Amino acid sequence: MPAPRPAHRSTSEHGAPEHGTSEYGVPDRSTPSDLLAPRPRTGGGRTVLAAVALTAAGALLAGCGAATGTGARPSRLAEQGPLSTTAGAGGAASRDAPRTVRSTPTTTPAPATLPGVGPKTLSEIPAGSDQVVLVTGAGHDSSTSRVRLFHRDPVTGWTAAGPVWPAHNALHGWSADHHAGDLRSPIGVFTLTDAGGRFPDPGTELSYDHAPIGFQSPGTGFHGESLADSFDYVIAINYNRKPGTTPLDWTRPLGASRGGGIWLHVDHGGPTHGCVSLPKAVMKTLLGTLDPAQHPVVVMGDAKALFA
């Protein structure tokens, strides 16, 4: 009589019993949670603990910042506040660490320069000069200009101290090599120290020579205009002259051939022989503003020459 066959065991592809059947073929009436109990079974010589699955499930619920005690609580980001990248005790992220505030670096702007004046011309302005009368010619051969007064602040640089004023210069324009009779105004940077005029001193800090006879100007200009009021107020431009003397002084350190007697004076409505002429009210303003303690200078020339 053949030996009885053992009961058939239904297993999965990994050798474990299929759900609902015990390893001995007896129907399993246990609840699904019993499947997770740490019950040993044999199969292929291995012992598998179902508690591993329970441990893994617990780890998933723990998370970062989970509550201690019995049972796991879902993470609530609103309660946790912003997460910090700084780890606290036990490797947890620290919520109390102060945030680092990055300050934006500030850049101090460079001091402002004179508009339209290039580095070469700027370098000719004495370091101690804090007032500039800027005369910018319309062109190398033009007899019209514009004039503006500037003040230098040690921090912010050059700033305008008045509006732009219309002016005239020499009939034929400008020259970097002025000579007597060329009817061109000299280009360059020149100090301003002395003044005078046919009218009394209007209250200037510059030395002032009141000479009603000496500053008379008879005749007419290139366009037939009267020159009678031209020298009511004058400021000597220290080109080929001796500073500290009246504008009427005829000393010519560079020689007579290089010309001289170049002044700022009252405009007569047309070109000059070499001077720069401005409205009478502007001349009074300059006389009342220029301060010897600030070592005023005039920067003059056509726009292209000044930009060098």
Side-chain angles (χ1 to χ4, degrees):
M1 181 178 210
R5 294 182 180 179
H8 175 70
R9 296 174 59 189
S10 176
T11 61
S12 68
E13 64 177 334
H14 298 291
E18 291 185 339
H19 181 69
T21 305
S22 71
E23 62 178 270
Y24 300 104
V26 180
D28 190 350
R29 305 179 187 275
S30 62
T31 61
S33 61
D34 292 337
L35 294 177
L36 297 178
R39 184 174 46 146
R41 71 170 178 81
T42 60
R46 295 179 301 170
T47 302
V48 179
L49 298 179
V52 174
L54 181 61
T55 303
L60 291 174
L61 289 175
C64 179
T68 59
T70 59
R73 187 182 64 177
S75 173
R76 298 180 182 177
L77 295 180
E79 296 179 2
Q80 292 180 11
L83 298 180
S84 171
T85 57
T86 305
S94 173
R95 303 174 191 170
D96 299 328
R99 294 183 178 184
T100 302
V101 178
R102 296 182 179 180
S103 60
T104 303
T106 57
T107 302
T108 303
T113 61
L114 293 171
V117 179
K120 179 180 179 296
T121 306
L122 285 172
S123 68
E124 297 174 6
I125 299 175
S129 294
D130 294 328
Q131 282 183 318
V132 159
V133 178
L134 178 60
V135 182
T136 306
H140 181 71
D141 301 322
S142 173
S143 63
T144 59
S145 306
R146 63 182 186 275
V147 177
R148 198 169 198 183
L149 179 65
F150 287 85
H151 170 75
R152 175 158 56 185
D153 182 272
V155 176
T156 59
W158 291 105
T159 57
V164 177
W165 299 302
H168 284 98
N169 50 270
L171 177 66
H172 293 164
W174 299 89
S175 174
D177 185 25
H178 174 72
H179 283 75
D182 65 5
L183 297 180
R184 290 184 179 272
S185 298
I187 297 171
V189 177
F190 310 103
T191 55
L192 302 172
T193 55
D194 307 291
R198 194 165 64 94
F199 284 4
D201 181 355
T204 183
E205 295 295 325
L206 302 175
S207 63
Y208 191 88
D209 180 20
H210 176 212
I213 303 300
F215 286 103
Q216 284 185 348
S217 180
T220 58
F222 293 107
H223 295 164
E225 71 276 14
S226 172
L227 303 178
D229 300 332
S230 300
F231 303 149
D232 287 353
Y233 299 111
V234 309
I235 300 172
I237 294 173
N238 289 344
Y239 166 80
N240 198 21
R241 71 176 299 270
K242 183 181 178 180
T245 62
T246 173
L248 296 173
D249 183 79
W250 285 91
T251 302
R252 300 291 181 256
L254 300 177
S257 66
R258 297 295 302 273
I262 307 297
W263 299 341
L264 299 173
H265 64 70
V266 176
D267 186 59
H268 46 77
T272 70
H273 284 77
C275 299
V276 174
S277 60
L278 294 149
K280 184 179 292 187
V282 175
M283 285 300 302
K284 292 183 69 173
T285 296
L286 289 177
L287 286 167
T289 306
L290 296 179
D291 181 3
Q294 298 189 51
H295 308 287
V297 298
V298 59
V299 177
M300 53 193 286
D302 60 277
K304 184 177 180 180
L306 293 181
F307 193 68

